[in-house]
Amino acid sequence: ERKERTGQAEDAGVLIRELGTPEQRAFLLIDEGKIDEAVRLMRQVLASKPGLVTEFADALVVARAAEAAVALVTEHAQGERGAAWCMDWLVKYYRKHGRRREALVWQQKVFLLRPSAEEFQALRELSRKLDTWDQVRADALKALEGSHRFGPLTEIALHEGDVPQALELLPRLQPWERGHYQWQVAQAAEKSHPREVLARYTELVEHAIRGRDRRTYQQAVQYLKRMKAVHKSLNAVSDWGAYL
C-alpha cells in the first residue's frame, strides 16, 4: 500500500509476487489483465478457501472479465456444496444486467436451498416480470410439499394471508418447530378462527408452563393475555375465568 501511494506500483507488484499469499497474487494478475493465469491460480486457492469466490468474481467484473467471473461462480454454485452465496451472486448479477430468465433459474435454486417467505417474495418479483408466476409458484410449493418442508410452507401461507392453509399445516410440523409457527399462526387467526386459536394457545401455554423457569413463565403470560382477548371477543368471559 505504501509503495502504491508513493507511485511505486511496479515495486509493489514485485513484492506481491515474491512474498504475497496466493490470493494476493491472483488479485495482482487480475489487475495486470492476465485473466487466464489469474483464474488458474484462483481455482487452487478456492480449493481450501471457497468463501473467496465472490470476491474474485467482483474483481474480475471490475476488470471487464465478466464472462470469466460468471463461469467461476457458476462452477462453485453447481458443486457438491452448492454454496448459497454463489447463487445469490449470480441472481444479483443477472438481475443487474437485465437477464431475468437466468436470474429466475438461480433464484429458484436459492429458494429450494433455504426456503422462506423472503426468498418466495424474490421469486414472485422475478417471475411476475416474466409472466410465469402461477407456474413458478405451483412448482415451488410442490417441491416443498414433496420434501416435507412444512415449516416454510406455513411461513409462506402466512405471508400470502392464507390462514386456513396455515392452520391446516400446523399438525404436520415437526415438534421442535411447531411452537414457533403455532404462535405466529395463532396471532394471524385470532379474528377469523377464534375457537381454533384457543386450542393453539392452550397448547402453547401448557408447553411453556412445563418449562418451569422464569423465561417460559413469561412466555405463558403473553399467551394467556392473547387467550383472554379472544375469550372476550367470543363473549366467553366465564370460560376464561374457569380456565385461568
Side-chain angles (χ1 to χ4, degrees):
E1 288 177 355
R2 180 178 178 278
K3 286 182 179 294
E4 287 175 349
R5 286 200 306 270
T6 55
Q8 302 175 69
E10 189 173 330
D11 290 344
V14 171
L15 194 64
I16 291 172
R17 275 187 285 272
E18 291 179 354
L19 303 174
T21 63
E23 51 264 38
Q24 287 173 327
R25 296 201 302 273
F27 283 119
L28 177 64
L29 288 169
I30 294 173
D31 289 341
E32 293 175 341
K34 300 175 182 177
I35 304 302
D36 291 341
E37 189 178 347
V39 170
R40 284 195 295 272
L41 182 54
M42 285 176 202
R43 287 199 169 95
Q44 296 174 23
V45 172
L46 293 172
S48 59
K49 297 181 178 180
L52 289 173
V53 64
T54 53
E55 289 185 42
F56 284 149
D58 288 339
L60 287 168
V61 170
V62 170
R64 298 184 178 181
E67 187 175 332
V70 170
L72 187 70
V73 179
T74 301
E75 180 182 317
H76 279 261
Q78 292 175 334
E80 290 183 10
R81 286 178 278 187
W85 67 87
C86 293
M87 298 180 188
D88 287 333
W89 189 94
L90 289 165
V91 171
K92 184 178 179 181
Y93 175 85
Y94 284 127
R95 290 188 72 161
K96 182 178 179 181
H97 292 83
R99 296 169 64 177
R100 292 173 181 163
R101 293 194 182 280
E102 290 94 333
L104 178 58
V105 168
W106 287 106
Q107 184 60 57
Q108 287 174 302
K109 294 179 185 295
V110 169
F111 174 78
L112 293 177
L113 191 65
R114 52 166 197 249
S116 67
E118 182 180 359
E119 298 299 349
F120 190 73
Q121 174 68 22
L123 202 59
R124 178 166 53 196
E125 289 175 2
L126 270 171
S127 59
R128 277 184 171 170
K129 291 175 182 178
L130 294 166
D131 198 25
T132 58
W133 171 235
D134 288 345
Q135 186 61 52
V136 168
R137 178 184 180 278
D139 291 344
L141 297 181
K142 183 179 179 181
L144 293 185
E145 179 81 25
S147 57
H148 303 285
R149 303 293 295 276
F150 300 120
L153 279 170
T154 304
E155 185 179 336
I156 289 167
L158 291 173
H159 175 71
E160 294 189 317
D162 191 347
V163 173
Q165 174 67 3
L167 285 167
E168 186 179 320
L169 286 164
L170 276 180
R172 305 174 76 182
L173 296 173
Q174 295 294 330
W176 55 266
E177 62 183 350
R178 188 172 298 144
H180 171 70
Y181 287 110
Q182 194 157 243
W183 173 228
Q184 295 183 43
V185 173
Q187 291 179 92
E190 283 184 3
K191 292 183 179 179
S192 59
H193 297 74
R195 296 196 180 279
E196 176 68 17
V197 161
L198 288 177
R200 303 281 73 77
Y201 278 143
T202 299
E203 288 184 28
L204 288 166
V205 167
E206 293 174 0
H207 176 77
I209 289 174
R210 284 196 297 271
R212 300 180 65 83
D213 63 40
R214 180 176 296 179
R215 181 183 61 83
T216 58
Y217 288 153
Q218 288 172 340
Q219 287 179 338
V221 168
Q222 296 305 311
Y223 302 145
L224 287 165
K225 286 179 178 179
R226 299 311 312 157
M227 286 185 73
K228 181 179 180 180
V230 175
H231 275 98
K232 283 185 175 180
S233 73
L234 292 169
N235 295 315
V237 177
S238 60
D239 291 345
W240 161 249
Y243 174 76
L244 187 59

